[in-house]
Amino acid sequence: MSPATELGVPFVDLDELSLDRQLLSEVPIELMVRYSFLPLERRAEGALVVAFADPDDMAALDALEGLLDTPLEIRAAAPDAVERALRRAGAGERILASVQETFGVATAAGGEQEEGLTLASLAADSGHPIVRLVDTTVLNALERRASDIHIETRDDGVWIKYRIDGVLYPAMEPIELRHHDAIVSRVKVMSDLDIAEKRVPQDGRFKLNLQGRTVDFRVSIMPAIHGEDAVIRILDKESLADEFSGLRLDALGFTAEDMRMIRKYMREPYGMFLVTGPTGSGKTTTLYAALSEIRTEEQKIVTIEDPVEYQLAGVTQIPVNEKKGLTFARGLRSILRHDPDIIMIGEIRDPETASIAVQSALTGHLVFTTVHANNVVDVIGRLLNMQVEEYQFVAALNCVLAQRLVRLICPHCRRPVEPTAELLEESGLSPEDLAGADLYEGAGCAECHDTGFQGRTVISELLDLSDTVREMILARRPTSEIKRQAASEGIVFLRDSALARVRAGVTTLQEINKVTFVD
């Protein structure tokens, strides 16, 4: 029997409740975090209904009643549900805002920078406000599912931003410029970099133990005209290990037809499965999902990546180390001597890697790889420019998949919207093109941190190399003709895939206009 049942305290499921943002703003966030509770409702007579993680801790309840100076009505809640609700309520952001008050908000560009805090003071006092600011910024970034933290130095202050679902958002108001050196020095100390060197770029990494898991961070420091900028890439390997171990293409948002074709080609006995798209378009995640679906103990899978961002059980993964001479090409030659069945090459960057990859696909290996190009047809020209022989390339290639990521409308604040004439014109559409479709947008809520979006999904185009397309490539026909032939064979281009998501009500026209060309 749970303590809540013994005490006769009603239980609430916080995951199913909407949060009262006005009430949350009235209660000090430090108390909510310290006592692990969440305010639910304010009674007419003044009593406050709160959900407690530990309702039988009478001393804590008495202390809290005194601190809030109000009677409490207690509800029980699961401790992890309270923690999740506090994250949804933006606990990290409010703590970050209170920390930032120590430094002040930049209001105008000053003259010369004042001397910031010294390294000695940072090292001597681990509880220093700068340490607390940087640590809280990192923790808040993890709470908000950020992939990167950007520390940018401008003439009017230091700006800290988070990249969430591919878009940058300010983490806080700009900080006075005089604190810049101390903030960057703290990041350098964490990354074991040279704090005295401010004229050349530096790269480093550090790890933090957070809530029982280890999170890796990659750091890049770069000098700019107003001081050094820093970018911290968050690699939460352990929290994603389970997700990747069971990751399937279904979870990425591919259409049923694209999944059918992808699964057909990723199970071929040999050949090249090529994925293309810009940085951050989810190419590596797609390849990991494909490997997760096909890996067995009967096959040897070897990958070479720069860097190895996530670990797959049962797969041999090799990190590129160009400083030590381990390039994609050199590593790939070594991989071929290890009798692999399936090879994944993180990226084809140069003619040597392209040539070895094509040869590998022709000699009985199934090769998964990526190339940076705008669409499936441009990939052909890109590889031919890498001096790959046409007949070898055509014989090796099974298919080309181009993809992008678009943000999903937050399901908690989703509301209908009518597109304006200006938006339709910008999108190259007429009202008839969207006839019968219900369009939506996100209003912004606590669940999505007022962005209107939550999560991302993939849009894609898949080129099936038919005999006709292969002959056109061998004949060096213009890409426009190859594109028309692919269209006649039923390919769904990226723009059409994106518009289908808009018609389905899962994303917006503004969002797809940012990642696809308007016809």
Side-chain angles (χ1 to χ4, degrees):
M1 184 177 291
S2 68
T5 307
E6 292 175 357
L7 295 168
V9 178
F11 181 84
V12 292
D13 185 354
L14 294 179
D15 292 329
E16 300 296 325
L17 289 180
S18 358
L19 304 177
D20 186 337
R21 303 188 71 185
Q22 177 59 38
L23 183 59
L24 287 168
S25 66
E26 296 172 3
V27 179
I29 188 66
E30 290 82 2
L31 293 182
M32 286 193 275
V33 173
R34 187 194 313 165
Y35 290 99
S36 193
F37 79 95
L38 200 75
L40 302 179
E41 182 185 351
R42 177 80 70 179
R43 298 291 193 200
E45 66 275 12
L48 186 64
V49 182
V50 295
F52 253 95
D54 190 5
D56 61 342
D57 188 346
M58 302 309 296
L61 294 175
D62 290 341
L64 189 61
E65 275 196 337
L67 290 168
L68 293 176
D69 194 23
T70 186
L72 300 178
E73 283 189 27
I74 307 304
R75 303 288 185 270
D80 56 345
V82 174
E83 185 179 328
R84 285 194 297 271
L86 286 171
R87 285 202 298 268
R88 282 160 50 208
E93 295 165 59
R94 288 176 60 185
I95 294 173
L96 190 57
S98 67
V99 171
Q100 189 199 1
E101 292 175 4
T102 309
F103 304 96
V105 176
T107 54
E112 296 192 6
Q113 296 188 37
E114 298 178 29
E115 285 295 322
L117 298 166
T118 65
L119 176 63
S121 67
L122 286 174
D125 184 4
S126 62
H128 200 285
I130 287 288
V131 175
R132 190 172 176 227
L133 173 71
V134 175
D135 291 355
T136 309
T137 299
V138 170
L139 290 170
N140 187 36
L142 288 166
E143 283 185 3
R144 293 190 61 182
R145 302 176 297 105
S147 60
D148 302 84
I149 303 169
H150 288 241
I151 301 173
E152 300 176 357
T153 312
R154 304 181 187 176
D155 59 353
D156 62 346
V158 181
W159 292 68
I160 300 180
K161 300 178 181 179
Y162 297 146
R163 187 175 293 281
I164 304 169
D165 293 333
V167 178
L168 285 174
Y169 295 98
M172 61 186 82
E173 295 295 320
I175 297 169
E176 290 179 357
L177 199 57
R178 63 193 178 93
H179 299 295
H180 159 262
D181 284 346
I183 293 171
V184 175
S185 292
R186 170 60 181 164
V187 175
K188 287 181 178 179
V189 169
M190 295 169 74
S191 314
D192 197 24
L193 298 176
D194 184 354
I195 63 159
E197 181 57 75
K198 301 182 180 181
R199 297 164 297 177
V200 298
Q202 297 188 68
D203 294 316
R205 60 179 61 232
F206 64 91
K207 294 183 180 182
L208 291 179
N209 291 315
L210 301 168
Q211 298 175 344
R213 72 180 193 271
T214 301
V215 182
D216 286 1
F217 300 84
R218 285 209 324 268
V219 177
S220 178
I221 308 288
M222 182 175 62
I225 58 173
H226 297 295
E228 292 176 295
D229 283 9
V231 175
I232 304 172
R233 167 64 59 88
I234 301 171
L235 301 173
D236 197 352
K237 295 181 182 179
E238 290 188 21
S239 72
L240 289 172
D242 293 337
E243 182 180 342
F244 273 103
S245 66
L247 182 63
R248 297 177 61 83
L249 293 167
D250 315 60
L252 304 183
F254 287 106
T255 64
E257 178 61 19
D258 277 352
M259 276 194 294
R260 184 185 69 79
M261 296 296 291
I262 291 170
R263 283 174 172 150
K264 169 190 171 186
Y265 287 117
M266 74 187 194
R267 288 183 167 86
E268 295 285 1
Y270 57 86
M272 183 181 288
F273 184 107
L274 195 58
V275 184
T276 186
T279 301
S281 59
K283 301 186 297 297
T284 303
T285 303
T286 297
L287 293 183
Y288 274 124
L291 292 178
S292 292
E293 288 198 15
I294 64 175
R295 62 181 169 170
T296 67
E297 294 298 329
E298 298 172 354
Q299 292 180 309
K300 180 161 187 174
I301 303 176
V302 185
T303 76
I304 180 164
E305 306 166 61
D306 184 21
V308 176
E309 295 194 0
Y310 304 108
Q311 297 174 16
L312 277 177
V315 176
T316 302
Q317 296 175 271
I318 303 168
V320 165
N321 188 340
E322 295 193 358
K323 291 181 181 178
K324 301 293 184 182
L326 178 54
T327 61
F328 275 110
R330 185 172 179 181
L332 188 51
R333 281 195 297 269
S334 180
I335 287 172
L336 291 172
R337 293 192 287 270
H338 278 251
D339 188 30
D341 297 292
I342 299 170
I343 303 169
M344 180 185 127
I345 307 167
E347 181 186 346
I348 292 179
R349 298 175 178 170
D350 55 77
E352 188 179 6
T353 306
S355 176
I356 300 171
V358 169
Q359 290 292 339
S360 303
L362 289 172
T363 53
H365 302 91
L366 182 59
V367 178
F368 292 86
T369 188
T370 72
V371 173
H372 286 295
N374 287 326
N375 53 58
V376 292
V377 180
D378 288 349
V379 170
I380 298 168
R382 179 78 191 278
L383 281 174
L384 294 179
N385 286 338
M386 289 186 188
Q387 302 161 16
V388 177
E389 293 290 340
E390 292 101 322
Y391 67 91
Q392 289 187 336
F393 170 60
V394 167
L397 194 60
N398 290 343
C399 71
V400 183
L401 173 69
Q403 67 178 63
R404 302 288 189 277
L405 293 176
V406 294
R407 292 182 294 170
L408 293 168
I409 299 169
C410 174
H412 304 281
C413 58
R414 182 171 173 261
R415 66 185 182 189
V417 64
E418 286 293 329
T420 63
E422 292 79 11
L423 179 58
L424 288 173
E425 185 178 353
E426 289 172 11
S427 307
L429 300 171
S430 66
E432 292 73 27
D433 293 325
L434 296 173
D438 294 323
L439 271 60
Y440 294 87
E441 67 177 5
C445 64
E447 303 287 345
C448 61
H449 297 278
D450 291 317
T451 64
F453 295 95
Q454 192 174 63
R456 289 188 289 181
T457 191
V458 70
I459 58 171
S460 59
E461 63 184 27
L462 182 65
L463 177 64
D464 177 5
L465 268 76
S466 64
D467 291 340
T468 306
V469 171
R470 292 178 192 272
E471 289 168 5
M472 294 177 75
I473 295 172
L474 286 173
R476 293 246 179 182
R477 304 304 302 166
T479 55
S480 57
E481 289 187 22
I482 298 175
K483 190 173 181 180
R484 281 197 295 272
Q485 177 61 31
S488 70
E489 294 178 4
I491 188 174
V492 177
F493 292 111
L494 278 171
R495 183 67 180 178
D496 298 322
S497 177
L499 285 170
R501 301 297 197 280
V502 173
R503 293 189 184 97
V506 299
T507 192
T508 66
L509 283 173
Q510 294 94 328
E511 182 66 13
I512 69 165
N513 288 345
K514 290 193 295 186
V515 297
T516 61
F517 289 105
V518 177
D519 296 330

